[in-house]
Amino acid sequence: MNPPAGLDPKVSNAKIGDLTYKRSKKGDVQVQTKEKYPHSALLVLYEEDEIRQSWPLAAKETTIGRQPDNDIVIVDRWISRHHARIVRQGMRYVIKDLDSKNGTFVNGQRVKAPQELEDGDRIQVAPQYQFAFVDAEATAPVRLMESRLRLNAAQRRVWLGGQEILPPLSPAQFALLELLNSDPERVFSRDEIIAAVWPNAVTSGVSDEAVDSLVRRLRKRLAEVDLSRNYILAVRGHGFRLAQVE
């Protein structure tokens, strides 16, 4: 997890707002429950892997949505007016999707029925926004669950964060992903992509639109499993590369 803005890398402990941060000997940043609400869980908002804000889940119900009457308001077109609700049931916390247009996801899985939250769960309500749930009794590090990419070339199967992408990718989609995954730090040119995906085609016979369309379709398939990041990055004037997957 990236340290929050304002936490000096030389400082082992710091308090920013109502959150108390501690740095372990390994350099990992830990977040502790708000002292003001010692018996309530926390919802920590991340934007592009940086901590932006946090809320104690002290009330019986906490709603998330675009409208001002929500407890947690996020103005984003991806988010519905009333998107999700977290209900406190004693020491348990249950999240429910409020028939949102784009869905609520916990650890990459769409919430289809009320679901109990566990410490460290990642809640996704929009591509660039995600929450980390911190249990009331926990002082463990708050980390975004890293999505891991695994390919089986022989069977043309792909797993993302432990979840298999189904139905399987098309041959062209798999060929593109396999190429990008072969060297994640490398930017592959359009000609290299064409050679890998359409080996029998003449390079000049495959348009830029065809390559861009394939990239969009593959991005969409990956987003079905993990909305937290864009896995395929475009490098203007050079080509495409795979985002770093740890």
Side-chain angles (χ1 to χ4, degrees), residues 59-90:
K60 183 177 180 181
E61 293 186 354
T62 302
T63 57
I64 304 168
R66 201 174 64 236
Q67 288 286 88
D69 60 344
N70 288 282
D71 300 297
I72 299 175
V73 179
I74 301 178
V75 181
D76 187 287
R77 62 182 180 83
W78 193 274
I79 297 175
S80 297
R81 291 191 293 272
H82 298 94
H83 198 102
R85 176 187 295 121
I86 297 176
V87 179
R88 181 175 182 174
Q89 300 175 349

mmCIF file of all heavy atoms in Angstrom, residues 59-90:
data_model
loop_
_atom_site.group_PDB
_atom_site.id
_atom_site.type_symbol
_atom_site.label_atom_id
_atom_site.label_comp_id
_atom_site.label_asym_id
_atom_site.label_seq_id
_atom_site.Cartn_x
_atom_site.Cartn_y
_atom_site.Cartn_z
ATOM 1 N N ALA A 59 -22.918 4.047 12.800
ATOM 2 C CA ALA A 59 -24.384 4.056 12.701
ATOM 3 C C ALA A 59 -24.901 2.666 12.344
ATOM 4 O O ALA A 59 -24.151 1.796 11.888
ATOM 5 C CB ALA A 59 -24.835 5.060 11.655
ATOM 6 N N LYS A 60 -26.199 2.463 12.535
ATOM 7 C CA LYS A 60 -26.801 1.171 12.207
ATOM 8 C C LYS A 60 -26.725 0.921 10.712
ATOM 9 O O LYS A 60 -26.525 -0.222 10.269
ATOM 10 C CB LYS A 60 -28.261 1.130 12.677
ATOM 11 C CG LYS A 60 -28.932 -0.214 12.420
ATOM 12 C CD LYS A 60 -30.353 -0.236 12.967
ATOM 13 C CE LYS A 60 -31.000 -1.600 12.699
ATOM 14 N NZ LYS A 60 -32.396 -1.638 13.212
ATOM 15 N N GLU A 61 -26.887 1.987 9.917
ATOM 16 C CA GLU A 61 -26.807 1.862 8.473
ATOM 17 C C GLU A 61 -25.944 2.980 7.904
ATOM 18 O O GLU A 61 -25.997 4.119 8.392
ATOM 19 C CB GLU A 61 -28.205 1.918 7.823
ATOM 20 C CG GLU A 61 -29.085 0.740 8.163
ATOM 21 C CD GLU A 61 -30.387 0.765 7.379
ATOM 22 O OE1 GLU A 61 -30.631 1.771 6.652
ATOM 23 O OE2 GLU A 61 -31.161 -0.201 7.470
ATOM 24 N N THR A 62 -25.161 2.657 6.883
ATOM 25 C CA THR A 62 -24.350 3.642 6.178
ATOM 26 C C THR A 62 -24.583 3.455 4.688
ATOM 27 O O THR A 62 -24.370 2.364 4.155
ATOM 28 C CB THR A 62 -22.848 3.454 6.490
ATOM 29 O OG1 THR A 62 -22.639 3.568 7.903
ATOM 30 C CG2 THR A 62 -22.015 4.500 5.772
ATOM 31 N N THR A 63 -25.046 4.507 4.024
ATOM 32 C CA THR A 63 -25.341 4.403 2.597
ATOM 33 C C THR A 63 -24.265 5.095 1.773
ATOM 34 O O THR A 63 -23.668 6.080 2.190
ATOM 35 C CB THR A 63 -26.708 5.020 2.260
ATOM 36 O OG1 THR A 63 -26.729 6.388 2.683
ATOM 37 C CG2 THR A 63 -27.830 4.256 2.944
ATOM 38 N N ILE A 64 -24.048 4.549 0.582
ATOM 39 C CA ILE A 64 -23.067 5.085 -0.364
ATOM 40 C C ILE A 64 -23.797 5.415 -1.657
ATOM 41 O O ILE A 64 -24.590 4.604 -2.150
ATOM 42 C CB ILE A 64 -21.949 4.064 -0.657
ATOM 43 C CG1 ILE A 64 -21.266 3.619 0.641
ATOM 44 C CG2 ILE A 64 -20.924 4.618 -1.637
ATOM 45 C CD1 ILE A 64 -20.351 2.415 0.465
ATOM 46 N N GLY A 65 -23.548 6.585 -2.212
ATOM 47 C CA GLY A 65 -24.200 6.937 -3.463
ATOM 48 C C GLY A 65 -23.837 8.328 -3.936
ATOM 49 O O GLY A 65 -23.012 9.023 -3.333
ATOM 50 N N ARG A 66 -24.480 8.731 -5.027
ATOM 51 C CA ARG A 66 -24.187 10.018 -5.653
ATOM 52 C C ARG A 66 -25.009 11.158 -5.068
ATOM 53 O O ARG A 66 -24.606 12.316 -5.109
ATOM 54 C CB ARG A 66 -24.447 9.892 -7.160
ATOM 55 C CG ARG A 66 -23.747 10.919 -8.013
ATOM 56 C CD ARG A 66 -23.933 10.642 -9.498
ATOM 57 N NE ARG A 66 -25.321 10.751 -9.912
ATOM 58 C CZ ARG A 66 -26.018 9.797 -10.518
ATOM 59 N NH1 ARG A 66 -25.441 8.634 -10.769
ATOM 60 N NH2 ARG A 66 -27.265 9.980 -10.881
ATOM 61 N N GLN A 67 -26.188 10.838 -4.527
ATOM 62 C CA GLN A 67 -27.088 11.863 -4.004
ATOM 63 C C GLN A 67 -26.597 12.402 -2.658
ATOM 64 O O GLN A 67 -26.004 11.665 -1.873
ATOM 65 C CB GLN A 67 -28.498 11.289 -3.824
ATOM 66 C CG GLN A 67 -29.246 11.026 -5.136
ATOM 67 C CD GLN A 67 -29.718 12.308 -5.780
ATOM 68 O OE1 GLN A 67 -28.988 12.919 -6.547
ATOM 69 N NE2 GLN A 67 -30.940 12.714 -5.486
ATOM 70 N N PRO A 68 -26.901 13.682 -2.373
ATOM 71 C CA PRO A 68 -26.435 14.293 -1.119
ATOM 72 C C PRO A 68 -27.020 13.678 0.142
ATOM 73 O O PRO A 68 -26.477 13.872 1.229
ATOM 74 C CB PRO A 68 -26.901 15.757 -1.253
ATOM 75 C CG PRO A 68 -27.157 15.970 -2.695
ATOM 76 C CD PRO A 68 -27.560 14.643 -3.251
ATOM 77 N N ASP A 69 -28.132 12.929 0.025
ATOM 78 C CA ASP A 69 -28.745 12.363 1.224
ATOM 79 C C ASP A 69 -28.065 11.073 1.682
ATOM 80 O O ASP A 69 -28.482 10.471 2.671
ATOM 81 C CB ASP A 69 -30.247 12.118 1.008
ATOM 82 C CG ASP A 69 -30.528 11.163 -0.139
ATOM 83 O OD1 ASP A 69 -29.624 10.918 -0.951
ATOM 84 O OD2 ASP A 69 -31.664 10.664 -0.223
ATOM 85 N N ASN A 70 -27.005 10.644 0.993
ATOM 86 C CA ASN A 70 -26.250 9.469 1.430
ATOM 87 C C ASN A 70 -25.280 9.839 2.542
ATOM 88 O O ASN A 70 -24.880 10.996 2.683
ATOM 89 C CB ASN A 70 -25.473 8.869 0.250
ATOM 90 C CG ASN A 70 -26.367 8.174 -0.744
ATOM 91 O OD1 ASN A 70 -26.813 7.061 -0.520
ATOM 92 N ND2 ASN A 70 -26.642 8.846 -1.862
ATOM 93 N N ASP A 71 -24.889 8.848 3.326
ATOM 94 C CA ASP A 71 -23.892 9.074 4.369
ATOM 95 C C ASP A 71 -22.506 9.285 3.768
ATOM 96 O O ASP A 71 -21.711 10.078 4.261
ATOM 97 C CB ASP A 71 -23.857 7.886 5.340
ATOM 98 C CG ASP A 71 -25.202 7.682 6.018
ATOM 99 O OD1 ASP A 71 -25.625 8.589 6.752
ATOM 100 O OD2 ASP A 71 -25.824 6.628 5.791
ATOM 101 N N ILE A 72 -22.212 8.549 2.707
ATOM 102 C CA ILE A 72 -20.958 8.702 1.975
ATOM 103 C C ILE A 72 -21.321 9.099 0.551
ATOM 104 O O ILE A 72 -21.916 8.312 -0.186
ATOM 105 C CB ILE A 72 -20.138 7.404 1.982
ATOM 106 C CG1 ILE A 72 -19.783 7.012 3.424
ATOM 107 C CG2 ILE A 72 -18.874 7.551 1.144
ATOM 108 C CD1 ILE A 72 -19.081 5.679 3.546
ATOM 109 N N VAL A 73 -20.996 10.321 0.180
ATOM 110 C CA VAL A 73 -21.380 10.857 -1.130
ATOM 111 C C VAL A 73 -20.160 10.892 -2.043
ATOM 112 O O VAL A 73 -19.131 11.486 -1.705
ATOM 113 C CB VAL A 73 -21.968 12.272 -0.997
ATOM 114 C CG1 VAL A 73 -22.343 12.826 -2.370
ATOM 115 C CG2 VAL A 73 -23.176 12.266 -0.073
ATOM 116 N N ILE A 74 -20.271 10.231 -3.187
ATOM 117 C CA ILE A 74 -19.221 10.264 -4.205
ATOM 118 C C ILE A 74 -19.878 10.668 -5.520
ATOM 119 O O ILE A 74 -20.727 9.947 -6.049
ATOM 120 C CB ILE A 74 -18.531 8.896 -4.360
ATOM 121 C CG1 ILE A 74 -17.911 8.467 -3.022
ATOM 122 C CG2 ILE A 74 -17.457 8.965 -5.433
ATOM 123 C CD1 ILE A 74 -17.255 7.120 -3.065
ATOM 124 N N VAL A 75 -19.493 11.819 -6.016
ATOM 125 C CA VAL A 75 -20.082 12.329 -7.253
ATOM 126 C C VAL A 75 -19.298 11.762 -8.428
ATOM 127 O O VAL A 75 -18.203 12.225 -8.754
ATOM 128 C CB VAL A 75 -20.070 13.868 -7.279
ATOM 129 C CG1 VAL A 75 -20.720 14.382 -8.562
ATOM 130 C CG2 VAL A 75 -20.801 14.422 -6.065
ATOM 131 N N ASP A 76 -19.841 10.746 -9.027
ATOM 132 C CA ASP A 76 -19.219 10.079 -10.165
ATOM 133 C C ASP A 76 -20.328 9.450 -10.987
ATOM 134 O O ASP A 76 -21.223 8.805 -10.431
ATOM 135 C CB ASP A 76 -18.227 9.013 -9.682
ATOM 136 C CG ASP A 76 -17.419 8.401 -10.816
ATOM 137 O OD1 ASP A 76 -18.002 7.608 -11.594
ATOM 138 O OD2 ASP A 76 -16.231 8.709 -10.940
ATOM 139 N N ARG A 77 -20.264 9.601 -12.299
ATOM 140 C CA ARG A 77 -21.353 9.111 -13.156
ATOM 141 C C ARG A 77 -21.502 7.603 -13.093
ATOM 142 O O ARG A 77 -22.564 7.064 -13.402
ATOM 143 C CB ARG A 77 -21.125 9.558 -14.601
ATOM 144 C CG ARG A 77 -19.857 9.013 -15.237
ATOM 145 C CD ARG A 77 -19.652 9.527 -16.644
ATOM 146 N NE ARG A 77 -18.450 9.008 -17.253
ATOM 147 C CZ ARG A 77 -18.350 7.829 -17.845
ATOM 148 N NH1 ARG A 77 -19.405 7.035 -17.884
ATOM 149 N NH2 ARG A 77 -17.210 7.421 -18.387
ATOM 150 N N TRP A 78 -20.442 6.905 -12.692
ATOM 151 C CA TRP A 78 -20.495 5.443 -12.604
ATOM 152 C C TRP A 78 -21.350 4.990 -11.427
ATOM 153 O O TRP A 78 -21.888 3.892 -11.409
ATOM 154 C CB TRP A 78 -19.076 4.904 -12.456
ATOM 155 C CG TRP A 78 -18.944 3.423 -12.649
ATOM 156 C CD1 TRP A 78 -19.126 2.460 -11.702
ATOM 157 C CD2 TRP A 78 -18.613 2.725 -13.852
ATOM 158 N NE1 TRP A 78 -18.920 1.214 -12.226
ATOM 159 C CE2 TRP A 78 -18.605 1.343 -13.552
ATOM 160 C CE3 TRP A 78 -18.309 3.135 -15.150
ATOM 161 C CZ2 TRP A 78 -18.304 0.384 -14.510
ATOM 162 C CZ3 TRP A 78 -18.013 2.172 -16.093
ATOM 163 C CH2 TRP A 78 -18.015 0.829 -15.781
ATOM 164 N N ILE A 79 -21.453 5.858 -10.425
ATOM 165 C CA ILE A 79 -22.124 5.506 -9.174
ATOM 166 C C ILE A 79 -23.587 5.915 -9.226
ATOM 167 O O ILE A 79 -23.917 7.035 -9.646
ATOM 168 C CB ILE A 79 -21.412 6.176 -7.989
ATOM 169 C CG1 ILE A 79 -19.972 5.636 -7.895
ATOM 170 C CG2 ILE A 79 -22.152 5.928 -6.676
ATOM 171 C CD1 ILE A 79 -19.138 6.316 -6.847
ATOM 172 N N SER A 80 -24.471 5.037 -8.788
ATOM 173 C CA SER A 80 -25.900 5.318 -8.785
ATOM 174 C C SER A 80 -26.253 6.305 -7.669
ATOM 175 O O SER A 80 -25.472 6.533 -6.754
ATOM 176 C CB SER A 80 -26.697 4.023 -8.601
ATOM 177 O OG SER A 80 -26.477 3.139 -9.684
ATOM 178 N N ARG A 81 -27.464 6.868 -7.775
ATOM 179 C CA ARG A 81 -27.898 7.846 -6.773
ATOM 180 C C ARG A 81 -27.851 7.235 -5.374
ATOM 181 O O ARG A 81 -27.403 7.861 -4.423
ATOM 182 C CB ARG A 81 -29.308 8.343 -7.110
ATOM 183 C CG ARG A 81 -29.359 9.217 -8.364
ATOM 184 C CD ARG A 81 -30.712 9.882 -8.487
ATOM 185 N NE ARG A 81 -31.762 8.900 -8.750
ATOM 186 C CZ ARG A 81 -32.112 8.493 -9.955
ATOM 187 N NH1 ARG A 81 -31.504 8.979 -11.024
ATOM 188 N NH2 ARG A 81 -33.084 7.601 -10.116
ATOM 189 N N HIS A 82 -28.353 6.028 -5.235
ATOM 190 C CA HIS A 82 -28.247 5.266 -3.984
ATOM 191 C C HIS A 82 -27.652 3.919 -4.376
ATOM 192 O O HIS A 82 -28.352 3.072 -4.921
ATOM 193 C CB HIS A 82 -29.607 5.120 -3.301
ATOM 194 C CG HIS A 82 -30.207 6.438 -2.913
ATOM 195 N ND1 HIS A 82 -31.095 7.115 -3.707
ATOM 196 C CD2 HIS A 82 -30.003 7.213 -1.823
ATOM 197 C CE1 HIS A 82 -31.432 8.252 -3.117
ATOM 198 N NE2 HIS A 82 -30.783 8.340 -1.977
ATOM 199 N N HIS A 83 -26.373 3.750 -4.127
ATOM 200 C CA HIS A 83 -25.622 2.641 -4.718
ATOM 201 C C HIS A 83 -25.556 1.404 -3.826
ATOM 202 O O HIS A 83 -25.843 0.291 -4.270
ATOM 203 C CB HIS A 83 -24.202 3.120 -5.035
ATOM 204 C CG HIS A 83 -23.475 2.250 -6.002
ATOM 205 N ND1 HIS A 83 -23.322 2.578 -7.344
ATOM 206 C CD2 HIS A 83 -22.853 1.058 -5.833
ATOM 207 C CE1 HIS A 83 -22.641 1.619 -7.950
ATOM 208 N NE2 HIS A 83 -22.343 0.684 -7.050
ATOM 209 N N ALA A 84 -25.176 1.598 -2.573
ATOM 210 C CA ALA A 84 -25.001 0.448 -1.667
ATOM 211 C C ALA A 84 -25.266 0.877 -0.226
ATOM 212 O O ALA A 84 -25.235 2.064 0.111
ATOM 213 C CB ALA A 84 -23.598 -0.123 -1.800
ATOM 214 N N ARG A 85 -25.528 -0.125 0.611
ATOM 215 C CA ARG A 85 -25.789 0.137 2.029
ATOM 216 C C ARG A 85 -25.011 -0.871 2.870
ATOM 217 O O ARG A 85 -24.972 -2.066 2.546
ATOM 218 C CB ARG A 85 -27.275 0.020 2.343
ATOM 219 C CG ARG A 85 -27.602 0.193 3.841
ATOM 220 C CD ARG A 85 -29.063 -0.089 4.135
ATOM 221 N NE ARG A 85 -29.942 0.876 3.500
ATOM 222 C CZ ARG A 85 -30.897 0.563 2.611
ATOM 223 N NH1 ARG A 85 -31.079 -0.699 2.263
ATOM 224 N NH2 ARG A 85 -31.659 1.486 2.084
ATOM 225 N N ILE A 86 -24.385 -0.387 3.937
ATOM 226 C CA ILE A 86 -23.717 -1.262 4.894
ATOM 227 C C ILE A 86 -24.493 -1.216 6.202
ATOM 228 O O ILE A 86 -24.735 -0.135 6.754
ATOM 229 C CB ILE A 86 -22.259 -0.833 5.128
ATOM 230 C CG1 ILE A 86 -21.465 -0.960 3.818
ATOM 231 C CG2 ILE A 86 -21.608 -1.685 6.218
ATOM 232 C CD1 ILE A 86 -20.039 -0.467 3.918
ATOM 233 N N VAL A 87 -24.925 -2.371 6.666
ATOM 234 C CA VAL A 87 -25.745 -2.473 7.868
ATOM 235 C C VAL A 87 -24.916 -3.081 8.989
ATOM 236 O O VAL A 87 -24.259 -4.120 8.809
ATOM 237 C CB VAL A 87 -27.000 -3.338 7.614
ATOM 238 C CG1 VAL A 87 -27.834 -3.453 8.884
ATOM 239 C CG2 VAL A 87 -27.836 -2.736 6.477
ATOM 240 N N ARG A 88 -24.965 -2.440 10.139
ATOM 241 C CA ARG A 88 -24.252 -2.955 11.312
ATOM 242 C C ARG A 88 -25.192 -3.852 12.101
ATOM 243 O O ARG A 88 -26.287 -3.456 12.486
ATOM 244 C CB ARG A 88 -23.770 -1.801 12.188
ATOM 245 C CG ARG A 88 -23.000 -2.253 13.421
ATOM 246 C CD ARG A 88 -22.440 -1.064 14.187
ATOM 247 N NE ARG A 88 -21.659 -1.505 15.339
ATOM 248 C CZ ARG A 88 -20.966 -0.697 16.128
ATOM 249 N NH1 ARG A 88 -20.953 0.610 15.895
ATOM 250 N NH2 ARG A 88 -20.281 -1.178 17.155
ATOM 251 N N GLN A 89 -24.760 -5.085 12.325
ATOM 252 C CA GLN A 89 -25.551 -6.048 13.084
ATOM 253 C C GLN A 89 -24.687 -6.548 14.244
ATOM 254 O O GLN A 89 -24.003 -7.558 14.133
ATOM 255 C CB GLN A 89 -25.981 -7.210 12.188
ATOM 256 C CG GLN A 89 -26.831 -6.776 10.999
ATOM 257 C CD GLN A 89 -27.155 -7.917 10.059
ATOM 258 O OE1 GLN A 89 -26.599 -9.014 10.158
ATOM 259 N NE2 GLN A 89 -28.066 -7.676 9.124
ATOM 260 N N GLY A 90 -24.716 -5.791 15.336
ATOM 261 C CA GLY A 90 -23.832 -6.110 16.453
ATOM 262 C C GLY A 90 -22.405 -5.839 16.054
ATOM 263 O O GLY A 90 -22.046 -4.710 15.742
#
